[in-house]
Each structure stands twice: as C-alpha cells, then as structure tokens.
Amino acid sequence: QTISCLPRSFEYSQKNAVLVPVAALGVGGMLLYWLRSGRKIETIDMGDGWWGSGDRPLKGKEDESIRPFKIETSDKEIEDLHRRLDHFRFTPHVEGAAFHYGFNSTYLRKVVAYWRNRFDWRKQVEVLNKYPHFHTTIEGIDIHFIHVKPSYVPHGQAVQPLLMVHGWPGSFYEFYKIIPLLTEPARHGLNEGDVVFEVICPSIPGYGFSEAPHQKGFDSVATARIFHKLMNRLGFKEYYLQGGDWGSRITTNMAQMLPRSVKGLHLNCVFIGKQGLGRMICIMLGAYVPWLVGLSREDARRFYPFMQKNVYDVLRESGYLHIQATKPDTAGCGLNDSPVGLAAYILEKFSTWTDKSFLHKGDGGLESKYSLDELLTNVMIYWVTSSIVSSMRYYKENFSKDPNLNAYSRYGIYVPTGIAAFPQEILHTPRVWAKDVYKNIITYTYMPSGGHFAAFEEPKLLAQDIMQFVRKVEQL
C-alpha cells in the first residue's frame, strides 16, 4: 500500500512544485499592484481656505460670478510715474562691471530715459486689453485671469483647455506671444489644426491684478486649490496644465491634488529637491561615466562642471531668494516706492536668467531677446498694482513651511507629463532625476535655445513642444 501511494505522492509534489511558485508569484504580483495603485491614488488633501480680510463670514455663499475686467490708467497715474522718474538719483557703476554687480547703472539711465520719454503706457494698456480679462472671487480674494478661445474651430475638432501659470518676477503678460500660437496654430504654420487650445492665464494671488492674500500662510498648495476651483467654475472637468518657475510648482501641486482632473502636465522648469548619498554618487560618477548613472551626453554637457553650474552660479543668482524668503517687506517697501528701483530689481533677472553669458554685457543683453516696451510693460504691471511686496511674500510663505521645497515629493505625479528642458535654465534636471517625482514622463525635450522665461523668449519653440506632448497624450 505504501508503494502504491508513492506515484501519487510524487505526482502531488510535482504539482506543488509548479503551483506554489505560481501562487506566490500571483500573490506577490497582487501585492505589488496594490502597493503601486495605493501610491497612485495618494493625493494632497485639497482642504479649504480663507484669504480675505478679517474672519470668514459665517453665513452666505461666496459670489461665484465671473466678472469682465478691463485694465485702465489715468493722467494722475502717469504723472506720478513721470515725477518719480524725473527724480531718479544716479549712482555711477564700477568701471568694467557690466552686470556682475547687478543692474548696470549706466544702462539703467538709458532705460529710465526711454521709460520717461518714449514708453507709452496707454498704448501698452490697449495691448494688454486685446485679450478678455476677468475677475472672480475665490476663498475671499479676487482672482484675475485672461481667457482666450480660438476664433475658429473646424467641425468635430476638440478644443483642449490649457491653464498656464507664470512665476516671479513675471506675470500673465509673459504668455501674450504664445497665446495666438496655441489658439490658432494653423494660422501660424504650426500644424494642420489637429491640436487647438483655449488658454486660461491667471495671475497668482498677490501678483498683478489678483488680490493679495490678507492672511498668513498662502503657499503653492493654496494656489493650486484656488486654480482648480477657477477651472471648475469655468465649467472644465478635465484640462491640461503648463508652468515654469512658481507656475511649475503650482501646476505640479494641482496634479498631486486632483490627478483625475489633469489630462496632462507640461513644465519648462523642474526643481527636484531630493538629496542623499545615492544622488551624490550619481553626481560624482556622472562626470566620468554618465551613461552608468542614466545621464545622457547632453545632460553631462549642461550639468558639468558641477560646482560652477550648480553651486557658484546658483549662489550668485539666488541672493534675492534669501531676502524674499525671510523678510520680504523690508526691501519690498523701497521697491514699491521707487519705479527705478523696481525696474532694476526685476529686469536684472530678465538678463542673467535668460542667458548666463549676459552677465558680461554692459546692457545685460536685454534688448537682444526682448524689447524695452515688453520689459517695461511687465514692470508696470507690478508698479500700477503695488504688488511687488505681496509677490515677494510668496517666497516666505512657501520656504518657511518647506525650506527644500520637497515636502510634497512623496506624492508621485502619475498624470502624463511633458518636460521642455531649456539650455539656459537656472538649474538642469536630467530626465532620470525627474522620474523620481514625475512617474509618467511622455516627452522630455532638450530645447535648442532659451532660458527661464520660455514663453516670453521662445514662444514658438515652447508652443511646438506643448503641442507635441498633447498630441501624444491624446493618442494614448
């Protein structure tokens, strides 16, 4: 009897030899899927907020109306500006200083003379008003935005809503050259009309024509929530996002907060705050064997020499950040009182953040990329709204809570993501590093030229990359 049981026992053990690993593999796979899916649905809590003056009203619903808005000026406003410009106190620059000490004061004289005698603010107001402006009240403060729809849409063509978010020291005006390329691409020779957008560009609260928060603590997560509410109020359930500088942080938070509402996230600036031994080893090996740590030749070219490009250059360009992240109101009060000081403070960033080599030029290379009308229009948005102090406070509100800006990096971004890596960006983030946070990168493009203010400087290149990204997402 014992002998007769041996074949069946052997057969049973053979089945076990197959079934047990298969079962283990199946359970392990289910566990891995559960863990991964658990990470995918982990989101930033949307919460709620109140940023109006005083306590939040106990009764009554917030006014959710969308109100048309028009930028206006007056003789009094222009006369006050001219009076202040007339009293500009010139400080001679150090010989041969170029932009190494900041804004070159001799070139500043030229900018001020142009501003006082040739710049036409009334004409620029007309330019600003060529797109429809609106206000709506969210969480107690008035939010300003422009909303531009395509003038013609072929039958059956889907129009993609796109929220574009600026940073500091920019404004919604940065997008004025890229908007027609996105809303009417066929007219500008970009495609056959297969991807068309309607574009919404809000002003971050405290910037330009968006009301400044009256309460402490207004950070990028609060901004993300407000912009989600804005898109919902406009009737959009799903939409694309695009951002650089603070706009990158805000739109990333939006994707972490309500991923089901975000069809895709496109960024032209990525900051990854993760540090550690592994990253240091990657940096050291990357200088000699970049392929071994996942870096491309182009990554290595943009990234090394490491100390020069990632330490010295960053320290030189980030002095403003320490001031604004600690005591913004002190310097801000002076800038809010002096248009010349404001222009020097803002326009210096449009020099070296556009191209690091402009540091060596007496005019900061500013007019090689932009016109003085464009640059001064951006400055005027800060001047006429007295918003420089509140825009600077945004650094304190974010950095005081999260000094390394990586508190939310544990919330992986699983929405389709496109990254346009411009060569003159302040910091280069290789794709292999971006994947630590952005788990679903659909496109990663080494852009041929351009710096920090991509939409303002290289609108066609950026528009093409956004379209390429959206086209791929729509085909998924």
Side-chain angles (χ1 to χ4, degrees), residues 114-246:
Y114 183 90
W115 198 359
R116 173 62 178 86
N117 301 312
R118 297 174 60 189
F119 179 77
D120 188 342
W121 176 231
R122 292 187 186 279
K123 179 182 176 182
Q124 294 308 117
V125 165
E126 290 179 11
V127 171
L128 291 173
N129 282 326
K130 75 176 181 177
Y131 295 131
H133 294 250
F134 302 91
H135 267 154
T136 190
T137 306
I138 304 178
E139 298 188 6
I141 52 177
D142 284 346
I143 306 301
H144 162 260
F145 63 98
I146 56 175
H147 186 179
V148 187
K149 300 179 182 180
S151 58
Y152 169 75
V153 181
H155 180 71
Q157 171 72 61
V159 178
Q160 304 295 343
L162 174 65
L163 180 81
M164 304 188 78
V165 185
H166 66 88
W168 187 92
S171 64
F172 66 93
Y173 177 60
E174 284 180 68
F175 302 114
Y176 267 49
K177 288 186 281 189
I178 199 174
I179 286 172
L181 308 183
L182 297 170
T183 56
E184 299 175 316
R187 181 177 291 183
H188 294 87
L190 289 183
N191 62 20
E192 290 72 40
D194 60 327
V195 178
V196 179
F197 299 92
E198 59 179 295
V199 179
I200 301 92
C201 299
S203 294
I204 299 171
Y207 288 68
F209 299 98
S210 276
E211 186 178 356
H214 298 268
Q215 312 293 331
K216 292 191 294 184
F218 187 84
D219 59 6
S220 61
V221 172
T223 315
R225 180 179 63 244
I226 282 178
F227 287 172
H228 270 309
K229 289 183 177 181
L230 170 64
M231 294 301 279
N232 183 258
R233 191 170 292 183
L234 292 173
F236 300 116
K237 293 182 179 179
E238 290 184 315
Y239 32 89
Y240 285 93
L241 305 174
Q242 202 287 324
D245 195 85
W246 280 122

Side-chain angles (χ1 to χ4, degrees), residues 29-43 414:
M30 290 176 66
L31 181 62
L32 183 62
Y33 174 80
W34 179 79
L35 286 171
R36 285 181 62 84
S37 61
R39 286 175 69 186
K40 284 183 182 179
I41 61 171
E42 187 179 10
T43 58
Y414 292 90

